[in-house]
Amino acid sequence: MRVLLPLTLLFSSLSMAEEPITAVPLYTESELIGLINKNAHLARVKADDCQLVQDIEARANKMALPSYQFLYGDMLAYAVCVDRNVELGVYYMRQAAQQGLGAALEQLGRYYDVGQLVQQDKAMAVTYLREASAQGNLKAQMRLVNLFNQGYGSPRDYEDAYRWLFHSMVADKAAHKKIEHLLAKLAEKMPDSVVARARLPM
């Protein structure tokens, strides 16, 4: 016995068969760094239906690109498109940080500060945040000065930390007010002459 398909079902199945499967293009280095800086990298991988996992892993592992190491590390740490593996995730974050990726340095500094994924270690937090701050990472600069204000780190680093944060450019009024407060508190720990020197144009 021959079964006839309804015309609407037949046409819809034909049109679905004709639709080409579009491949998601791999992110350029600058595009990925932009996504990382906006904390949108994991959302983008999810939005791309996890199609690029193998390419991301290859660029992190074989090509050792720091932005891809950071991305893959975050994917592993938070089980985005891959099975969760915190140890391996932090390993890749550290690889990216060792190559000087500011976002990786800031994130590891933050994690050591609060004890997220790793054991809390304020000295390690200062080490990572100092490197990120030197690159102009504002979040790292603010957290570093806050740690110094709490009594962590070395007074020898106060001048650099003050200088970096003082010369940062911030449009947000609330952030600007917070920076003023952080700097005022740090200035209390420094001689006036050192504060004046740190305020000189860079």
Side-chain angles (χ1 to χ4, degrees):
M1 180 177 166
R2 198 170 173 197
V3 179
L4 295 174
L5 289 170
L7 284 177
T8 53
L9 182 61
L10 184 62
F11 286 136
S12 65
S13 62
L14 284 171
S15 64
M16 283 174 66
E18 289 170 6
E19 285 180 16
I21 299 171
T22 55
V24 175
L26 199 59
Y27 323 123
T28 64
E29 189 83 354
S30 60
E31 180 186 12
L32 181 51
I33 289 171
L35 288 168
I36 289 167
N37 290 338
K38 288 185 274 188
N39 197 27
H41 52 296
L42 294 180
R44 178 62 178 272
V45 173
K46 287 182 192 173
D48 290 336
D49 297 323
C50 304
Q51 291 184 46
L52 300 175
V53 172
Q54 288 183 329
D55 290 314
I56 291 167
E57 182 182 3
R59 276 158 180 74
N61 192 17
K62 294 175 184 172
M63 297 174 70
L65 296 172
S67 58
Y68 277 93
Q69 289 172 329
F70 181 81
L71 172 60
Y72 190 52
D74 260 7
M75 288 166 63
L76 288 163
Y78 296 103
V80 173
C81 301
V82 293
D83 292 333
R84 189 171 197 192
N85 187 333
V86 172
E87 186 177 353
L88 189 58
V90 172
Y91 165 80
Y92 277 107
M93 290 176 205
R94 285 194 179 117
Q95 292 298 303
Q98 285 172 10
Q99 293 202 64
L101 185 68
L105 290 161
E106 184 277 327
Q107 181 161 291
L108 284 168
R110 177 165 29 97
Y111 284 178
Y112 275 109
D113 182 21
V114 301
Q116 184 174 337
L117 301 183
V118 295
Q119 293 302 309
Q120 191 176 52
D121 186 333
K122 300 292 188 178
M124 284 295 291
V126 167
T127 299
Y128 279 113
L129 291 170
R130 194 186 192 294
E131 291 301 313
S133 295
Q135 292 186 26
N137 187 297
L138 180 61
K139 289 189 288 185
Q141 290 169 353
M142 292 175 71
R143 188 173 291 271
L144 181 66
V145 170
N146 189 49
L147 281 168
F148 288 162
N149 286 337
Q150 292 173 35
Y152 298 103
S154 169
R156 288 175 298 181
D157 292 327
Y158 290 177
E159 183 178 350
D160 281 339
Y162 189 100
R163 180 182 297 108
W164 294 327
L165 191 54
F166 179 79
H167 291 287
S168 62
M169 304 294 171
V170 182
D172 182 71
K173 287 183 180 178
H176 189 75
K177 201 76 181 166
K178 187 174 181 182
I179 288 168
E180 279 184 350
H181 174 73
L182 287 168
L183 289 172
K185 200 169 176 185
L186 185 60
E188 293 172 5
K189 297 174 175 285
M190 302 161 62
D192 292 343
S193 60
V194 176
V195 173
R197 189 170 63 208
R199 286 171 167 252
L200 292 172
M202 293 175 71

